[in-house]
Amino acid sequence: MEPKNKRSSIGKKKRARFVLNIDKIRHLSDEEKKRLKEVADIYPFRANDYYLNLINWHDPHDPIRRLIIPHENELNQWGELDASKEHAITVRKGVQHKYGSTVLLLVNEVCAAFCRYCFRKRLFMNGNDEVSYDIEPGIEYIRQHPEVNNVLLTGGDPMILPTPKLEKIIKALREIDHVRIIRIGSKMTAFNPFRFINDPALMEVFKKYSLVDKRIYMVCHFDHPRELTAEARQAVDILLKAGVVCINQNPIIRGISDEPQVMADLWNELSFMGVQQYYVFQCRPTVGNDLYSLPIVEAYRRIEEAKKHCSGLAKRLKYTMSHESGKIEIIGVDKKYIYLKYHRAKHQKDEQRLLVCHRDDSARWLDQLKPVDGYRNDYYQPGYYYLM
Ligand code: SF4
């Protein structure tokens, strides 16, 4: 596949400039701006000129447009603000600990742009107070937990932080012996690859702290092959050369990343670039996401169809639901049942556990699935049954 944007020029000192107001988008009519501002008043809009330039404005269903431009359906009453109940695993302000070996530090509450389907959109909304800019309590918590061997910097997008601030965090984590992996969850390679291209000092930080047996991972977030511009490829390349392991994860989103050929093109291209597709997430039932989520059975069918067009390397991904009880992989669907398995579990008793539920083609989340009669139900909530 020849990516549409591959002809972009490399080497010039280009930058992305924020676009924070829908009124500034000249391709939208006055009437559209007025309607969409009502949405953006609740779920904020943020973009930049680089990313907006990827949109084909002649196509009202353009996937990049869908990803970044608000839609009236976001106002549908659907979903919850904190669909995966992250508040229940928050151990300090901005510190989440759900799985023994992994701690999340929420170090920032903004991103280079805002994905409309974001599951943490609550961070961008008025009244949020979940992120901690003071990392010391989080660092101290990790110090006291020797079982933690990997730490995920997230938010928001940590790559928004200035390089000296990022270095301070990375250095503090590297001084803790039991922390082997530092992961950075970031859509910056897609939203603003110049953040990497224009900052050699950042690459020096990565080279210094991504060590032979203690790597830094960049968890990229590409949703669509059209995001793989020449600049994005350059950003990934310099990260790889700085010793950073790059992987990709994204949700399956209606109208953006749900076409089998689009998924196959994305995963194949990423594998050519040296980036493994890690997770494809079921869209969480977060407020505003009614438009964006697909039923589990439909998403599974599309992902399996996409895999037919991929090499083994390109399809090492797991189709997974980030449920409050754990990361649950959807491993199969037949005429009667949906088969799921815990990949990571909040409670030890669920580790690697298989779940069998009646097939329901309209269900979009685990809580909507019904147990298979006869299987024992010993979960802390009614409704989930297990094959023992
Ligand atoms: S990059 Fe991630 S945190 Fe930021 S808006 Fe998109 S999904 Fe949300």
Side-chain angles (χ1 to χ4, degrees):
M1 185 202 71
E2 183 69 8
K4 275 191 179 173
N5 300 295
K6 212 171 178 177
R7 276 169 276 125
S8 313
S9 59
I10 294 180
K12 292 183 196 164
K13 194 89 166 173
K14 289 201 284 185
R15 294 184 184 282
R17 284 169 305 167
F18 279 124
V19 179
L20 303 176
N21 191 332
I22 294 225
D23 281 336
K24 302 280 184 229
I25 303 178
R26 62 186 170 84
H27 300 89
L28 297 174
S29 68
D30 288 346
E31 210 277 314
E32 276 176 307
K33 286 176 188 170
K34 188 164 170 265
R35 275 189 288 121
L36 299 183
K37 271 187 80 146
E38 283 175 32
V39 183
D41 283 345
I42 299 172
Y43 308 123
F45 162 81
R46 176 185 277 242
N48 63 55
D49 56 353
Y50 162 82
Y51 199 76
L52 289 170
N53 280 335
L54 302 184
I55 295 175
N56 172 7
W57 291 100
H58 300 297
D59 177 4
H61 306 295
D62 181 77
I64 306 293
R65 173 185 179 134
R66 187 76 167 256
L67 194 149
I68 203 81
I69 303 293
H71 193 290
E72 292 95 318
N73 283 27
E74 291 175 32
L75 299 178
N76 287 2
Q77 292 297 313
W78 190 82
E80 300 171 59
L81 254 189
D82 182 9
S84 291
K85 311 282 186 295
E86 293 190 307
H87 65 269
I89 49 159
T90 298
V91 291
R92 304 265 193 287
K93 190 178 173 191
V95 184
Q96 294 182 10
H97 195 187
K98 184 170 182 177
Y99 311 120
S101 59
T102 307
V103 160
L104 275 63
L105 295 181
L106 278 67
V107 295
N108 180 13
E109 62 190 7
V110 287
C111 297
F114 290 151
C115 312
R116 300 313 305 171
Y117 55 75
C118 181
F119 75 95
R120 287 219 185 106
K121 61 184 75 166
R122 66 184 191 277
L123 299 189
F124 318 140
M125 296 165 69
N126 291 337
N128 154 59
D129 188 27
E130 288 186 50
V131 167
S132 177
Y133 290 98
D134 175 12
I135 55 149
E136 194 39 49
I139 297 289
E140 185 53 31
Y141 180 86
I142 294 164
R143 248 187 235 123
Q144 290 167 4
H145 285 78
E147 74 276 20
V148 175
N149 64 21
N150 74 93
V151 174
L152 171 62
L153 305 181
T154 182
D157 195 323
M159 293 312 305
I160 284 273
L161 296 175
T163 296
K165 170 84 181 174
L166 260 175
E167 179 169 15
K168 195 174 157 210
I169 299 171
I170 292 171
K171 181 171 182 286
L173 289 171
R174 270 290 164 261
E175 284 167 1
I176 304 173
D177 274 351
H178 56 266
V179 175
R180 304 291 294 271
I181 289 176
I182 300 171
R183 272 188 279 176
I184 303 174
S186 172
K187 193 169 168 67
M188 196 67 86
T189 46
F191 278 151
N192 179 13
F194 306 109
R195 171 73 184 90
F196 304 98
I197 294 170
N198 294 340
D199 191 356
L202 176 64
M203 293 310 128
E204 290 309 312
V205 171
F206 287 152
K207 277 182 198 161
K208 185 171 171 190
Y209 293 106
S210 190
L211 308 174
V212 171
D213 53 1
K214 287 185 163 189
R215 284 287 170 202
I216 294 176
Y217 279 58
M218 186 63 65
V219 186
C220 303
H221 178 173
F222 292 108
D223 288 274
H224 194 282
R226 274 177 38 210
E227 295 178 326
L228 301 176
T229 61
E231 292 86 351
R233 289 163 194 262
Q234 189 185 0
V236 168
D237 187 50
I238 58 178
L239 282 166
L240 292 173
K241 284 177 178 149
V244 175
V245 180
C246 294
I247 57 175
N248 192 63
Q249 63 185 37
N250 65 298
I252 179 166
I253 299 293
R254 187 182 292 288
I256 298 173
S257 54
D258 61 337
E259 287 299 327
Q261 194 58 55
V262 166
M263 287 188 264
D265 287 346
L266 178 69
W267 304 338
N268 278 321
E269 279 299 316
L270 287 169
S271 72
F272 303 149
M273 293 161 59
V275 180
Q276 186 198 334
Q277 180 75 29
Y278 176 43
Y279 288 124
V280 172
F281 288 114
Q282 174 65 7
C283 179
R284 297 183 215 211
T286 307
V287 285
N289 281 4
D290 186 15
L291 172 73
Y292 302 114
S293 101
L294 280 85
I296 294 166
V297 171
E298 179 63 11
Y300 177 81
R301 186 189 67 73
R302 289 172 180 238
I303 289 168
E304 290 302 299
E305 184 59 36
K307 285 180 181 172
K308 291 181 190 167
H309 306 282
C310 291
S311 72
L313 279 175
K315 59 179 176 185
R316 289 179 287 171
L317 60 105
K318 289 181 183 297
Y319 169 38
T320 303
M321 199 170 348
S322 255
H323 187 255
E324 60 177 293
S325 62
K327 281 208 171 63
I328 304 170
E329 185 181 1
I330 296 94
I331 54 175
V333 175
D334 64 17
K335 283 188 182 156
K336 290 175 77 174
Y337 304 120
I338 301 176
Y339 303 88
L340 313 103
K341 190 176 179 186
Y342 277 93
H343 177 57
R344 303 297 312 267
K346 181 176 178 183
H347 303 291
Q348 217 175 1
K349 67 186 176 66
D350 292 327
E351 285 288 357
Q352 301 305 120
R353 207 161 190 181
L354 183 70
L355 290 77
V356 184
C357 298
H358 285 287
R359 176 167 170 166
D360 176 344
D361 286 21
S362 66
R364 294 196 259 175
W365 202 239
L366 182 69
D367 307 62
Q368 294 158 355
L369 290 174
K370 294 218 168 53
V372 171
D373 284 344
Y375 289 121
R376 190 163 70 87
N377 176 6
D378 62 356
Y379 194 54
Y380 64 91
Q381 287 180 349
Y384 307 135
Y385 282 66
Y386 303 93
L387 193 61
M388 300 301 290

